[in-house]
Amino acid sequence: MTLTTRKPPYSGPSGSDRFGYVVAIAVNAVLLWVVNRLPDWESPAFLTDDLDQVVPIVSLSLVASILLNVINLTTLQAAWKIAAEIGSSIVALVATVRIFQVFPFDFAGYAVNWGPPIRVVLIVAMIGITIAIIVQAARLATADRR
């Protein structure tokens, strides 16, 4: 005779998870404020005037991340959470591609040319985000079967 145990139904995020989501919302809100103020501050010096071309999509990416964390705080349905992760990841991918295309950085006045390493980091980020979207899509496809 084999005994099977039923996993209890998911009852939502734990207290530490909730705290993490709230902290993530706050950090992203501060970053959203900073990103939208950078063009006015004319600082740091390595940012070029092309920054204006990426601020809107970076802002959208931060808003998507905030919304994802709000969804994680408020819903128990795995499919909604995974769909929100996919949406947030797609916006992050578009923002990363745009930053790579525009590359609003100029390190000419510095001892080290940080341009090539930053381009490599952006490429690695695009690959990682693409893999995450694929994994999330597979999770979404099987979410109702679990």
Side-chain angles (χ1 to χ4, degrees), residues 35-69:
V35 163
N36 283 284
R37 298 299 178 272
L38 278 174
D40 299 334
W41 292 340
E42 298 177 8
S43 178
F46 60 82
L47 292 174
T48 69
D49 291 338
D50 292 336
L51 181 67
D52 291 336
Q53 296 179 39
V54 299
V55 166
I57 191 65
V58 171
S59 296
L60 180 61
S61 180
L62 291 167
V63 169
S65 182
I66 290 168
L67 291 174
L68 169 64
N69 284 293

Side-chain angles (χ1 to χ4, degrees), residues 57-58 60-61 64 85-101 122-134 136:
I57 191 65
V58 171
L60 180 61
S61 180
E85 288 174 11
I86 292 171
S88 179
S89 295
I90 289 170
V91 175
L93 179 60
V94 170
T96 307
V97 167
R98 188 66 182 143
I99 292 168
F100 184 82
Q101 290 171 334
L122 289 170
I123 290 168
V124 170
M126 288 184 275
I127 293 167
I129 295 168
T130 301
I131 292 169
I133 292 169
I134 293 166
Q136 292 161 347

Side-chain angles (χ1 to χ4, degrees), residues 104-129:
F105 310 105
D106 180 12
F107 298 100
Y110 293 83
V112 176
N113 181 6
W114 289 101
I118 289 177
R119 286 185 187 276
V120 169
V121 168
L122 289 170
I123 290 168
V124 170
M126 288 184 275
I127 293 167
I129 295 168

Side-chain angles (χ1 to χ4, degrees), residues 12-21 73:
S14 67
S16 61
D17 287 342
R18 282 194 175 102
F19 178 75
Y21 296 141
L73 271 172

